[in-house]
Amino acid sequence: GEGSIDSSSVMGKGVGAVASLCRDLGVPCLGMGGVLGRSPRIKREFTAVHQIVGTVADETTAFARPKESLASLAESVAASWRS
């Protein structure tokens, strides 16, 4: 997870390197962050991306309680992958 998954996330950061490696190996890679950028490259690098703000929490709550907000998002995403 990251605070923001945006174009800089896939340009040399660890998150982008992991996503690229997963893509190259054919392994699903889910990106989760506070908010998502609109770069088309994000959608190419990750199998799916999900954001906290507007999904499981509002912006104020997401920034005040990032750990809990990310855990809630991860639970929600995991449930959708199981079904």
Side-chain angles (χ1 to χ4, degrees):
E2 283 213 323
S4 175
I5 297 178
D6 55 25
S7 58
S8 71
S9 301
V10 293
M11 297 176 74
K13 285 188 176 180
V15 171
V18 170
S20 292
L21 180 61
C22 288
R23 188 195 68 235
D24 293 347
L25 296 173
V27 175
C29 183
L30 306 177
M32 290 183 261
V35 294
L36 302 177
R38 297 186 185 269
S39 169
R41 187 166 176 199
I42 295 168
K43 292 184 180 188
R44 285 194 309 268
E45 295 293 327
F46 293 92
T47 305
V49 288
H50 304 273
Q51 70 178 21
I52 293 169
V53 175
T55 304
V56 296
D58 60 30
E59 188 173 329
T60 301
T61 303
F63 282 99
R65 302 181 59 139
K67 180 180 174 181
E68 295 85 354
S69 297
L70 184 58
S72 180
L73 179 63
E75 288 175 20
S76 175
V77 170
S80 71
W81 274 71
R82 285 191 295 262
S83 56

